[in-house]
Amino acid sequence: AQKITQTQPGMFVQEKEAVTLDCTYDTSDQSYGLFWYKQPSSGEMIFLIYQGSYDEQNATEGRYSLNFQKARKSANLVISASQLGDSAMYFCAMREESNDYKLSFGAGTTVTVRA
Amino acid sequence: DTAVSQTPKYLVTQMGNDKSIKCEQNLGHDTMYWYKQDSKKFLKIMFSYNNKELIINETVPNRFSPKSPDKAHLNLHINSLELGDSAVYFCASNGGAGSRETQYFGPGTRLLVL
């Protein structure tokens, strides 16, 4: 079974607008970690933001915030005030003890920011 | 300054050859990984080492052999390269095994087998 589902293969967003990238996950662990990574066209994997399953507050890092809805098992990434440099592929990932803390990735969402 | 580095960045080779990819991290992390990203951008873990000891070995052909001379280095040797080995290979590291630990990735090695 797929552990991480990203249902949006591609999205377009206007510069300066906000965009939400969907991520749902599947785990029966109580303790797990959720991560978002950015992969620009240059190919590197850049860590953006982390949310722990026990964290009560939604994580924020600059223009990135994570909309964590534990009961729905969703961890959507919100990018505010989009910039041209945000055009990239975004991956949601999860670490869980029952999976030996391996990082399981979703299929990714490609974001294209339009001027 | 580079946290996780990989060499080479690009590797073009003929089918049947043997090649190695090197990875080094200067973050003081105990755990290192190799991932393969296929042409559809799907990322899958291949191996994990903790303090030079193999802890995860996914169903990877035994033509792939990781080697960790010390906890800061994890190299990947591939024997008898096949067309299907063409992919981007990422090295990553993190400080421990907990679910909170963030993995940091190297820049990737783009392997093309002709």
Side-chain angles (χ1 to χ4, degrees):
Chain A
Q2 196 73 4
K3 288 189 174 290
I4 297 285
T5 302
Q6 294 181 253
T7 55
Q8 307 150 310
M11 298 183 73
F12 290 94
V13 60
Q14 207 62 32
E15 201 178 6
K16 298 179 188 174
E17 290 185 352
V19 62
T20 298
L21 310 184
D22 295 341
C23 172
T24 56
Y25 58 91
D26 181 26
T27 182
S28 52
D29 285 18
Q30 295 301 308
S31 176
Y32 50 89
L34 297 157
F35 302 82
W36 278 92
Y37 287 85
K38 172 183 178 181
Q39 188 176 37
S41 57
S42 50
E44 67 269 33
M45 292 287 289
I46 303 165
F47 165 69
L48 294 178
I49 195 166
Y50 160 81
Q51 179 83 43
S53 57
Y54 288 121
D55 294 342
E56 293 184 356
Q57 305 270 3
N58 284 342
T60 60
E61 286 286 350
R63 294 184 299 109
Y64 304 108
S65 60
L66 208 150
N67 183 0
F68 180 47
Q69 298 189 44
K70 195 169 179 177
R72 293 186 179 186
K73 294 189 175 176
S74 77
N76 298 340
L77 177 71
V78 180
I79 308 174
S80 61
S82 296
Q83 301 172 355
L84 295 178
D86 293 334
S87 293
M89 194 148 189
Y90 290 81
F91 291 94
C92 180
M94 177 174 66
R95 297 190 79 182
E96 46 183 340
E97 182 179 4
S98 63
N99 195 27
D100 297 324
Y101 296 113
K102 287 182 283 191
L103 201 55
S104 302
F105 283 89
T109 296
T110 301
V111 172
T112 305
V113 181
R114 289 170 162 157
Chain B
D1 267 335
T2 306
V4 184
S5 58
Q6 291 178 232
T7 53
K9 191 165 184 184
Y10 298 96
L11 191 48
V12 181
T13 188
Q14 298 287 332
M15 234 172 31
N17 283 351
D18 303 339
K19 289 292 176 187
S20 291
I21 307 171
K22 294 187 176 182
C23 177
E24 177 181 0
Q25 55 93 4
N26 63 6
L27 296 166
H29 287 162
D30 288 329
T31 311
M32 296 183 72
Y33 305 82
W34 278 109
Y35 288 85
K36 179 180 179 181
Q37 186 175 40
D38 62 23
S39 57
K40 294 184 178 175
K41 301 288 190 180
F42 188 70
L43 271 153
K44 192 164 189 332
I45 189 168
M46 300 172 70
F47 300 103
S48 172
Y49 269 73
N50 182 264
N51 215 356
K52 302 195 296 175
E53 189 178 323
L54 179 68
I55 54 171
I56 293 172
N57 184 350
E58 293 294 288
T59 48
V60 177
N62 58 14
R63 299 182 294 103
F64 290 79
S65 52
K67 282 192 173 49
S68 181
D70 55 61
K71 75 173 194 176
H73 295 84
L74 180 62
N75 303 324
L76 183 65
H77 188 76
I78 316 170
N79 288 329
S80 304
L81 278 153
E82 299 177 357
L83 295 177
D85 298 333
S86 295
V88 181
Y89 292 85
F90 284 99
C91 178
S93 73
N94 60 237
S99 62
R100 299 185 73 87
E101 293 289 337
T102 297
Q103 281 187 26
Y104 294 94
F105 284 75
T109 295
R110 286 138 195 86
L111 171 64
L112 179 60
V113 182
L114 303 173

